[in-house]
Amino acid sequence: MKLTKELKLIMVTGVLREDLLLSAPVGIDDVILKPFTASILFNSFTKVFGGDQSQAETSKESKIPEEIIDVSKITGASLLVVEDNEINQEIAKELLEDAGFLVDLAENGEVFIAMIYQKP
């Protein structure tokens, strides 16, 4: 899987509204509804980063055991997590860093926008 320096945006929301999904803000590459599983996150990463779609499960109900999810092709990628809850920030950062990702945190959308315009 080729990685690019291009910014990829995945919106995670607990709001189950069809109009939101159909009219996701411009520039959003994928939308994930909470709660989500590791397989749903894997499918989204595969879709957004242009990976081998044959590895992605077709049903959101299907589960890929965590021990067989191969993220080695995107390990080392920089991720910017936008989360307003400090505990969730800590958990997300720790889990993603343990998986080999470089993680930056933004506590809200305003900080997120400022951070993406500061990145080279």
Side-chain angles (χ1 to χ4, degrees):
M1 184 181 323
K2 286 185 177 179
L3 292 181
T4 65
K5 297 284 183 181
E6 182 182 338
L7 179 67
K8 301 291 184 181
L9 300 175
I10 301 172
M11 181 170 71
V12 179
T13 180
V15 179
L16 181 56
R17 290 184 25 209
E18 188 174 327
D19 59 328
L20 173 68
L21 295 176
L22 295 175
S23 63
V26 175
I28 300 292
D29 297 294
D30 199 13
V31 177
I32 299 175
L33 295 175
K34 290 193 259 183
F36 59 90
T37 63
S39 64
I40 291 170
L41 186 60
F42 175 77
N43 290 348
S44 180
F45 279 13
T46 301
K47 174 183 170 185
V48 168
F49 288 109
D52 180 3
Q53 291 294 314
S54 67
Q55 290 182 350
E57 294 291 320
T58 56
S59 168
K60 288 188 177 186
E61 300 303 317
S62 58
K63 304 235 181 204
I64 300 173
E66 284 190 47
E67 61 271 10
I68 66 167
I69 295 175
D70 180 16
V71 295
S72 63
K73 293 178 182 175
I74 59 172
T75 298
S78 294
L79 303 176
L80 175 55
V81 176
V82 184
E83 172 61 56
D84 61 353
N85 182 291
E86 288 184 35
I87 294 172
N88 290 347
Q89 286 177 5
E90 291 176 29
I91 293 169
K93 185 173 173 78
E94 185 174 326
L95 290 172
L96 292 168
E97 286 179 343
D98 286 350
F101 296 99
L102 305 172
V103 180
D104 287 314
L105 296 171
E107 61 268 12
N108 60 47
E110 185 177 346
V111 172
F112 161 74
I113 297 296
M115 290 176 78
I116 62 170
Y117 283 110
Q118 290 175 357
K119 289 278 182 184

